[in-house]
Amino acid sequence: MDFNQSTEDNLFDRARIIGKPHSRIDATLKVTGRAPYAYERHDVVANQLVGYPLCATIAKGRITHMDASAARAAPGVVSVVTTLEMEPLGRAKSNVALLFGGDTIAHYHQAIAVVVAETLEQARSAAALIDVRYEEEPGVFDLEVAWERLQDTGEPLSDVGDVDAAFQNAAVTVDEVYRTASQSHAMMEPHASIVDWSDGGQMMVWTSNQMIAWTRKALATTFNIKPETICLESPYVGGGFGGKLWLRADAVLAALGSRASGRPVKLALPRPLVFNNTTHRSGTIQRLRIAADAQGKITAFDHSAISHTLPGCSGENPVEQTRVFYAGANRRVAHHPIDMNLPESADMRAPGEASGLAALEIAMDEMAEKLGMDPVEFRILNDTQVDPEVDSKPFSDRHYVECLRQGAETFGWEARNRTPGSTRDGQWLIGHGVAGAYRGAPTMDSGARVRLQGGHLIVETDMTDIGTGSYTIIAQTAAETMGLELEAVEVRLGNSDFPVSSGSGGQFGAASATAGVYAACLALQEQIAKRLGVDAPRYENGRVVAGNTDLALADIADGEELVAEDTVHFGDFKDDMQIGTFAAHFVEVGVHAYTGETRVRRMLAVCDAGRILNPITARSQVIGGMTMGVGAALMEGLTADLDRGFFVNHDLASYEVAAHADIPQQEVIFLDTTDAASSPLKAKGVGELGICGVAAAIANAIYNATGVRVREYPMTLDRMLDQLPAVS
């Protein structure tokens, strides 16, 4: 099915299932422990061995010696594979870091061996017996030093108008530097795989991964085999946040171990390797300048940033949203990735926008204060309905102002402090903050297959559910389109034998995958219409109705299974529009007047993200993003050892994330608009919007509570303690 123009009126505008709250259909499996996660697939193949990785203890250099004889002789050990035994494996375009092979070390905790044994304990014990020696080389690990030495951020990504003249003529300007920390996805389920490549032929992989087709192709490239020889399954993913978009060492090591041992091998990365062996969000340093006239109209943005990356990677680009979010005739944005020898940085929830809005939305508050304007009204004044860089390119559907106005009214914004530090509740200074949120709304071609078996419909697609509710919204889409009850639809996901979908990531999954399922259902409807010899039948209450025909779906094929498959292809007509999602975040905090401890007291998000397919699962996504935003604002930050080049706090004890006690009342309001240019369902993603802007709203609330402006995340108490107002 080709989606080549904006959607007109269709069945989803009169929906009875889509857009309505439905509990997750996979919920019972998860809460009872019956959802099959990768490492727990005991039933899929017999005689599984356990693999354990050995990883480098230097950040840069080469291995000069490896002796695995003691490990091979250890009890229970079946096989040992070391990196010196083979040439470097192939590397997919999506993999910057080498996953295995050769003597070169490019980052700390790079995988250099896998031990396969009968039990985890035996494999782990034997791995410690491998003798490794290195020739270490000096590395680059300090982003601050790179910032100090940087003379030029390189060619701008965008340079529109005359930015320098706008600043010279501006009535008011802001010019500040902001810092965001490196962060880990820290998902509950570590990277894990079971691989059966015991005969060196067909490779069976049960893994935890967000993108089935991408990972299958990456495995084929890595091992120089045909993708058709690989079958990959990932029906349930215990958290990904972008950290499981790509092929990682767990699947590679399990495959090597299985080929060497002649038996299936399961392997999960120990938690420190999730932090140092896989990927993370790069830290950034950003200089942000804003110019405005005396009435508060923004005349120029100048946003430059650096982030760290292994050579060949793009880092964390935090400047792109500054190109499109607010009006302003002149703008220059530049991002300079700094080659460093820390572990690989790559996508993490709302890559770019999460870090960029953390700076931009503080700067917007600082400008509002200089102008003497309400921060909400300042943002409203500078709204735009067209791309500021290309004024002939409109936003397809944008209701950011409505988010701000409804949020201010619901939150009670008028009651905030007019003078920072003027409200106390016992020993707590109370403050309120606001921030805007923007995240693009991309879509990707996505396919599905539907099987009608009597009155039962099965949907098959390699789409994944990473905790986002894919099973439920896909079932809702199929039920709505075919006129069935939700209980009559079975959804099967995450298998490379199924049609290729968009996968989960980039906030494109929901809009894309449901459109693909819709396309497959339309193909089934066409098949049914031909079989019955009718035109334009209606599908309702489990029946097909057209003229004198009124037949139950269960009776159409006389027991024969009807199968249809299709893929939605999104046309380039979208290139003439900006398609995005928008939100306004409001936060109340308490800052302890004596210690500087910050506690978030209440949060509100008002979201504009097209048709909301399921308010329950969508709300879950937004409050999850808000929770991650609290972590990013107040506690999350990877600390690099600047001598040895690794992240020291590489476990869930020392890398602090927001816990239940840190999260107060959370309220989410959906405007529930429709964007006809986005997808046939007029829906857009919302999973990454929830984190965007939250950290800045908390920073602005801290300032409102204390008068202390913190421009470095996480905003731990040591960064404000010596600036707190005197306690009377």
Side-chain angles (χ1 to χ4, degrees):
M1 182 180 88
D2 293 328
F3 184 65
N4 286 327
Q5 62 183 18
S6 295
T7 305
E8 298 179 352
D9 180 80
N10 63 20
L11 77 159
F12 299 108
D13 296 314
R14 296 169 297 282
R16 63 187 182 89
I17 296 177
I18 281 288
K20 305 301 188 289
H22 292 278
S23 297
R24 295 164 61 113
I25 61 177
D26 54 323
T28 301
L29 288 176
K30 289 184 174 179
V31 300
T32 58
R34 290 182 291 141
Y37 291 96
Y39 197 75
E40 302 160 353
R41 302 297 299 272
H42 312 296
D43 58 324
V44 293
V45 62
N47 300 315
Q48 296 175 19
L49 296 169
V50 181
Y52 194 85
L54 181 69
C55 293
T57 55
I58 65 169
K60 186 180 181 184
R62 55 183 293 270
I63 301 171
T64 59
H65 170 80
M66 290 188 79
D67 182 358
S69 56
R72 290 189 167 99
V77 172
V78 177
S79 63
V80 177
V81 182
T82 72
T83 188
L84 295 185
E85 295 170 3
M86 61 183 63
E87 293 296 314
L89 294 176
R91 184 160 46 190
K93 291 181 179 179
S94 54
N95 288 110
V96 175
L98 176 69
L99 294 179
F100 201 79
D103 65 352
T104 301
I105 301 300
H107 67 89
Y108 196 92
H109 271 171
Q110 178 178 315
I112 59 173
V114 58
V115 177
V116 176
E118 296 289 346
T119 70
L120 170 64
E121 292 77 13
Q122 289 170 335
R124 182 173 57 197
S125 177
L129 299 176
I130 300 176
D131 179 38
V132 186
R133 299 170 202 167
Y134 305 94
E135 182 179 287
E136 193 168 1
E137 300 173 14
V140 178
F141 311 121
D142 195 333
L143 193 63
E144 288 292 337
V145 171
W147 177 256
E148 292 168 4
R149 293 176 178 173
L150 190 68
Q151 299 298 315
D152 183 5
T153 54
E155 188 70 23
L157 297 171
S158 174
D159 195 349
V160 177
D162 192 335
V163 171
D164 295 330
F167 275 93
Q168 290 173 3
N169 298 324
V172 182
T173 63
V174 163
D175 185 350
E176 298 291 349
V177 175
Y178 306 86
R179 291 168 169 82
T180 64
S182 297
Q183 298 167 1
S184 172
H185 306 83
M187 68 289 289
M188 289 180 66
E189 181 195 23
H191 295 70
S193 295
I194 299 173
V195 178
D196 184 6
W197 201 20
S198 52
D199 60 1
Q202 185 79 12
M203 181 191 292
M204 302 296 299
V205 184
W206 298 269
T207 190
S208 181
N209 193 275
Q210 298 172 226
M211 306 294 293
I212 301 299
W214 291 3
T215 303
R216 187 190 199 192
K217 184 176 180 180
L219 274 167
T221 300
T222 301
F223 289 106
N224 193 27
I225 58 178
K226 294 180 179 179
E228 299 78 38
T229 66
I230 302 170
C231 182
L232 191 148
E233 267 193 48
S234 183
Y236 294 93
V237 180
F241 313 115
K244 295 176 181 173
L245 286 172
W246 319 111
L247 174 67
R248 303 311 310 176
D250 57 301
V252 172
L253 296 179
L256 290 170
S258 178
R259 185 171 63 178
S261 65
R263 286 171 59 183
V265 171
K266 65 191 307 178
L267 187 146
L269 295 184
R271 187 61 65 175
L273 272 60
V274 173
F275 286 77
N276 281 306
N277 175 271
T278 67
T279 63
H280 66 282
R281 191 198 301 278
S282 167
T284 72
I285 302 177
Q286 307 175 47
R287 183 186 178 192
L288 224 163
R289 303 166 66 213
I290 306 177
D293 63 23
Q295 288 71 46
K297 281 280 191 181
I298 293 173
T299 58
F301 286 99
D302 186 3
H303 190 175
S304 59
I306 66 170
S307 62
H308 61 81
T309 172
L310 280 176
C313 192
S314 57
E316 175 85 358
N317 180 354
V319 301
E320 284 292 337
Q321 76 289 319
T322 306
R323 301 176 63 178
V324 298
F325 196 17
Y326 293 109
N330 310 285
R331 57 191 65 225
R332 180 169 57 220
V333 301
H335 171 238
H336 186 67
I338 303 294
D339 286 349
M340 295 177 64
N341 305 109
L342 291 170
E344 182 176 345
S345 64
D347 307 82
M348 181 170 164
R349 196 174 198 168
E353 287 97 338
S355 301
L357 287 161
L360 175 62
E361 288 298 306
I362 295 181
M364 290 292 288
D365 256 44
E366 296 195 67
M367 176 59 86
E369 182 181 36
K370 283 192 172 185
L371 289 161
M373 293 183 66
D374 180 326
V376 169
E377 294 302 323
F378 174 59
R379 288 172 170 83
I380 290 172
L381 178 66
N382 288 286
D383 184 48
T384 178
Q385 293 297 314
V386 299
D387 185 330
E389 294 184 0
V390 187
D391 58 13
S392 62
K393 188 175 186 178
F395 280 92
S396 59
D397 194 61
R398 173 176 168 135
H399 302 276
Y400 177 45
V401 168
E402 290 90 328
C403 292
L404 288 163
R405 291 206 185 283
Q406 184 164 349
E409 180 180 353
T410 303
F411 189 75
W413 181 248
E414 281 298 312
R416 75 193 186 285
N417 292 335
R418 304 298 171 146
T419 303
S422 59
T423 300
R424 286 186 60 169
D425 179 6
Q427 296 182 350
W428 298 88
L429 299 167
I430 308 303
H432 302 93
V434 64
Y438 166 82
R439 172 67 175 163
T443 49
M444 295 178 61
D445 290 358
S446 193
R449 180 188 303 127
V450 289
R451 300 179 178 275
L452 183 63
Q453 299 176 345
H456 182 70
L457 187 73
I458 298 172
V459 182
E460 296 174 338
T461 169
D462 81 356
M463 179 63 179
T464 52
D465 191 323
I466 59 174
T468 47
S470 298
Y471 280 100
T472 308
I473 60 173
I474 284 174
Q476 288 177 260
T477 303
E480 190 73 63
T481 307
M482 297 306 300
L484 293 166
E485 295 302 316
L486 198 59
E487 295 74 20
V489 178
E490 176 186 348
V491 178
R492 299 173 180 173
L493 300 181
N495 190 311
S496 59
D497 287 340
F498 298 158
V500 175
S501 73
S502 64
S504 297
Q507 198 169 269
F508 51 67
S512 304
T514 53
V517 171
Y518 174 61
C521 288
L522 291 186
L524 178 62
Q525 288 185 1
E526 183 178 351
Q527 191 178 138
I528 292 171
K530 287 181 179 179
R531 176 180 283 262
L532 298 180
V534 298
D535 294 323
R538 303 190 311 276
Y539 294 82
E540 53 191 32
N541 301 317
R543 306 184 71 81
V544 185
V545 181
N548 295 324
T549 299
D550 186 344
L551 189 66
L553 280 172
D555 298 331
I556 286 175
D558 296 325
E560 176 189 348
E561 180 186 60
L562 297 184
V563 181
E565 181 177 330
D566 202 359
T567 295
V568 62
H569 302 284
F570 291 94
D572 58 8
F573 80 99
K574 291 180 161 199
D575 297 343
D576 297 328
M577 292 173 273
Q578 277 288 353
I579 303 179
T581 60
F582 311 89
H585 289 283
F586 292 81
V587 173
E588 177 180 297
V589 303
V591 181
H592 198 279
Y594 296 93
T595 68
E597 176 191 354
T598 298
R599 293 184 182 176
V600 179
R601 294 161 63 105
R602 60 188 178 102
M603 308 176 75
L604 167 68
V606 182
C607 302
D608 170 29
R611 170 169 283 127
I612 301 303
L613 300 174
N614 185 331
I616 292 176
T617 57
R619 178 183 181 275
S620 178
Q621 284 301 288
V622 174
I623 65 173
M626 293 161 73
T627 300
M628 290 184 75
V630 172
L634 298 178
M635 57 200 72
E636 288 192 47
L638 289 168
T639 301
D641 183 315
L642 299 182
D643 293 322
R644 301 186 62 195
F646 73 101
F647 295 120
V648 178
N649 53 335
H650 51 208
D651 55 44
L652 295 182
S654 52
Y655 180 84
E656 296 187 23
V657 298
H660 285 287
D662 300 305
I663 304 302
Q665 170 189 341
Q666 293 176 312
E667 184 177 359
V668 179
I669 297 172
F670 294 114
L671 297 187
D672 205 8
T673 54
T674 55
D675 192 331
S678 177
S679 81
L681 282 74
K682 304 180 184 178
K684 296 184 278 196
V686 75
E688 300 191 348
L689 182 66
I691 192 175
C692 293
V694 173
I698 294 171
N700 293 334
I702 288 173
Y703 174 76
N704 185 252
T706 65
V708 179
R709 180 64 75 182
V710 184
R711 301 184 182 91
E712 182 173 0
Y713 298 95
M715 294 172 288
T716 46
L717 56 88
D718 57 297
R719 290 185 170 139
M720 68 180 84
L721 188 57
D722 60 346
Q723 303 173 67
L724 290 174
V727 180
S728 58

